[in-house]
Amino acid sequence: MSKASKANLPRFLVGIDLGTTNCVLSYTAHPDTESDVLPVAGDPPAALEMLLIPQLTQPGSVEEKSQLPSFLYQAHESELTEEDTRLPWGASASSLTGGIARFLGAKTPIRLVSSAKSWLCHADVDCREPILPLGSPDDVARISPYEATRRYLDYLKAAWNHRFPESPLEQQDVVITVPASFDPAARDLTVDAARETGLEKLTLLEEPQAAVYHWLHACGNDWRKQVGPGDIILVVDVGGGTTDLSLVAVTDTEGNLELNRIAVGDHILLGGDNMDLALAYRLKAKLAADGKDLQPWQIQAMVHHCRDAKEALLNDPNLQAVPIVVPSRGSKLLGNTLRTELTHSEVQETLVDGFFPQTPVDEHPRALIRRALTQLSLPFAQDPAISRHLAAFLSRQVNAANEVLGREERGFIKPTAVLFNGGVLKANMLADRLMTIINGWLSEASAEPAKQLTGIDLDLAVARGAAYYNAVRRGKGVRIRGGIASAYYVGIESAMPAIPGMEAPLEALCVAPFGMEEGTHAAVSQQELGLVVGEPVRFKFFGSKSRRLDTSGTLLDYWDPEELEALPEIQATLTDEARKPGTVVPVTLEARVSELGTLCLEAVARDGQKRWQVEFDVRN
Amino acid sequence: MTSNFTTFPTQPDLLHLILGAVLFITLVMLMVVARRKSPPNAEASQVQTEVVVPAPAPAPAPAPEFKAATPDAALQLLALLQQNARLIDFFQEDLKGFSDADVGAAARVVHEGGKKTLKDYFRLEPIRSESEESRVTLTAGFNAAEVRLTGNVTGQAPFTGTLIHRGWKAAEVRLPKIAEGHDVSVIAAAEVEL
């Protein structure tokens, strides 16, 4: 290969964790195409570097940190001077991202954009509409969840290009991680945001898989000693805002171990932030009993202190209490400082027993009845018990390994190994409790206890795993097979005589079967739909993480409400100069999973001449 | 130590904390003063020599050179300590009339935040790894800037004596970068809630 053409090659393989609360970027050198040295799981692990991201932490003050808090601050014009918001690469609209946004937003929450990622999966909002900060006064500039995502990526790009001006991020191969539970629309939004940022060489990876890749990287060759054929690895990822679950089965194909991601869980908005909040409110109640009322800013400060105190108490079983001190806001410190303490037993009751209760495996999350008038907000999990969510997941996925491992499981699927990820599970007491719960279920069912896989950095694993995956997918290393983690269905009104006061019953047509792999497509045979030229037509859209035997074209006239999850509606608009508006065109639907991991659905005219894209992101 | 503030007066700890902090801030202040006064007065330069410049070698130097510490880093550190540890608020208060429990509660704020600040922006290492009160021997050519001899200082190396204090050394400093034109003299902005 000539020198000239080599200069244009990507020099780095990049992994980006676009987290709900923190963004992290990891990278490794691109394998030298001349020497053909490709990283292989089992080779000495390639070095995975972390990008230190310069960010404002205070007005006018820039620090480099490996985590960029996923927050944006929409400052008032008279709040900050131009110098205050300058970054090493100059000032821009995205300057107030990261540490400073969280810092300013703590005192002025009406201007703080947070948890944008959780909105991407929200069924009832249009993610391209400016809605954040939610409920802020009219003169605060609002942005859409999509725009927030784009700005975080844009910020990472600026930080990268500042560090590597010779190798702009746009020219590198980039893997972006998404929650395994992200629906097709949320994946599309993430890809669009990345494309708009100029990232073209792009692939998506599920976060729990990224954690497994990081584990493979950390183990080197030893991973084969830790798991073997027939093992089922449960990945539990409890981050700041979300809990993400996946199952990976280990199989033996012609003497080689293979990893198969066989199931993913629902999108559960439950994480470390809920825990800090729970502790702060517990302390608030304790102080209220002493006749001390807390103001909102004091609770905010308490939450912050509880985060540190919690970690200290959870990692040191001998520590009985940690003092929590909230100083006054004014310059008079003495005599105005609020003091209490967080005790070991409070943490035990609130966190360990509250979020990780020792419940039986057949006890699943309680759905509380929602009040008729709910404000537009994120669909936070109503049951805080992670153990019940986990039990529901394992029970629902009882058959997940039947096909690949040739098993006949009963009751719930039985993991043989557990990999933890996410900041929350850094706390030994919580990780131990979760292992106790899982092994309790297993011993109830007379199964062997699962072993805990260790050796990963729980805060940085996703980005690192993504960078490693980026290297492995062009080498001979072990890849996790999976395909799409859900089957998808289009709702069709069945043809039957109209009955007054009753909606026509709905049938579900499978358009994309479970496990469809990247780069494949599935035509939906026979079943034709009539679309009207020039008019947007909406379809109900469903996903199922447990119906793994339906093939494309399967028509369901009955299903268990638990099996099919209603997703945001999808829309097809037929534009065709050759046909008159209003004409009904018979079409079939064809699904395709792109190389980068997104689902595409197309309406194909009967003659096969014309194709129209079906859009996922049409919520409003 | 973790439990009850009414039994808090473990005075040495608290006093050490306060005294240590007072000493520290005095040094910082003096550095600022040294920079601001011109020509530098003898006392301030003396302090500076101890803090910053290693003992000059006995070379026939024409005139001793002193570099002025910039106030920017000192003011930046004060701002960080105020932000994280409320240090200025604490020192500006009159402790008279407050109980040890009150002082203790405030000291926790200062200690917790100060510790975090040190951890975030410096990598501090003890100069000597031996335990204090143990006997140590210094061979000839030891670094006199790092180890100070006191007491019965006579004779030639090797010197054997008791390690009183292990010493501290900043192995790494990673203070935030400050934007050009940012007014560092504002240690803490006044806050007005609307």
Side-chain angles (χ1 to χ4, degrees), chain A residues 201-222:
Chain A
K201 299 176 185 177
L202 187 69
T203 311
L204 298 183
L205 176 68
E206 292 170 4
E207 286 160 11
Q209 284 194 47
V212 175
Y213 278 113
H214 180 44
W215 174 76
L216 289 170
H217 177 260
C219 288
N221 241 339
D222 278 353

Side-chain angles (χ1 to χ4, degrees), chain A residues 57-65 83-84 86 103 107 297 305 308 319-321 323 325-335 337 339 341, chain B residues 2-5 76 80 83 85-86 89-90 93-95 98 102-103 105-106 108-110 112 120-121 175-182 191 193:
Chain A
T57 46
Q58 298 275 317
S61 168
V62 173
E63 285 181 56
E64 294 187 337
K65 290 170 181 279
E83 294 87 54
D84 285 343
R86 207 179 287 157
F103 168 75
K107 289 179 174 173
W297 65 267
H305 287 286
D308 297 335
L319 197 57
Q320 284 310 306
V325 183
V326 179
S328 70
R329 287 195 292 182
S331 67
K332 293 273 172 283
L333 202 56
L334 288 158
T337 295
R339 187 194 175 281
E341 61 180 25
Chain B
T2 53
S3 49
N4 192 344
F5 263 118
Q76 180 189 24
L80 288 168
Q83 171 66 39
R86 306 287 298 271
D89 290 343
F90 186 68
E93 281 212 73
D94 187 355
L95 296 190
F98 287 105
D102 281 336
V103 179
R108 286 214 179 263
V109 175
V110 176
E112 197 180 301
D120 284 357
Y121 303 111
L175 284 167
K177 296 197 180 75
I178 311 168
E180 199 62 52
H182 177 73
E191 195 176 316
E193 190 176 59

Side-chain angles (χ1 to χ4, degrees), chain A residues 531-554:
Chain A
L531 293 190
V532 187
V533 174
E535 276 179 32
V537 180
R538 290 196 160 208
F539 297 98
K540 287 192 169 19
F541 193 51
F542 301 91
S544 173
K545 298 192 177 86
S546 55
R547 291 189 69 99
R548 46 189 70 232
L549 298 177
D550 293 341
T551 55
S552 49
T554 305

Side-chain angles (χ1 to χ4, degrees), chain A residues 250-261:
Chain A
V250 185
T251 55
D252 187 341
T253 310
E254 295 159 8
N256 288 323
L257 288 190
E258 278 193 345
L259 296 171
N260 308 266
R261 197 269 288 106

Side-chain angles (χ1 to χ4, degrees), chain A residues 71-80 85 92-98 100-102 104-105 108-114 130-134 136-145 147-148 151-152:
Chain A
F71 295 87
L72 277 167
Y73 188 76
Q74 304 284 67
H76 187 272
E77 62 209 23
S78 50
E79 230 177 319
L80 297 162
T85 60
S92 74
S94 315
S95 287
L96 298 177
T97 303
I100 190 155
R102 198 165 53 182
L104 295 171
T108 311
I110 54 165
R111 292 181 174 272
L112 182 68
V113 175
S114 62
I131 54 167
L132 301 176
L134 197 67
S136 58
D138 288 341
D139 69 342
V140 175
R142 294 192 206 184
I143 60 170
S144 67
E147 173 64 11
R151 287 205 202 171
Y152 297 142

Side-chain angles (χ1 to χ4, degrees), chain B residues 30 33-34 37-50 66:
Chain B
L30 283 171
V33 169
K37 283 187 184 167
S38 58
N41 78 17
E43 190 201 345
S45 346
Q46 181 61 35
V47 169
Q48 228 189 311
T49 314
E50 280 184 20
F66 294 99

Side-chain angles (χ1 to χ4, degrees), chain A residues 20 115-128 131-132 145-146 149 178-190 242-244 264-269 376-380 488 545 565-569 616-617 619:
Chain A
T20 317
S115 299
K117 183 181 180 182
S118 299
W119 288 97
L120 294 184
C121 224
H122 194 293
D124 302 327
V125 297
D126 181 348
C127 288
R128 292 175 196 264
I131 54 167
L132 301 176
Y146 165 81
T149 307
V178 291
S181 48
F182 251 21
D183 65 26
R187 284 171 201 244
D188 275 2
L189 284 163
T190 308
T242 52
T243 295
D244 213 359
V264 305
D266 291 331
H267 200 64
I268 309 167
L269 290 191
L376 179 62
S377 67
L378 286 171
F380 294 110
Y488 293 102
K545 298 192 177 86
E565 178 195 1
L567 298 174
E569 289 189 343
F616 293 116
D617 177 39
R619 310 167 226 198

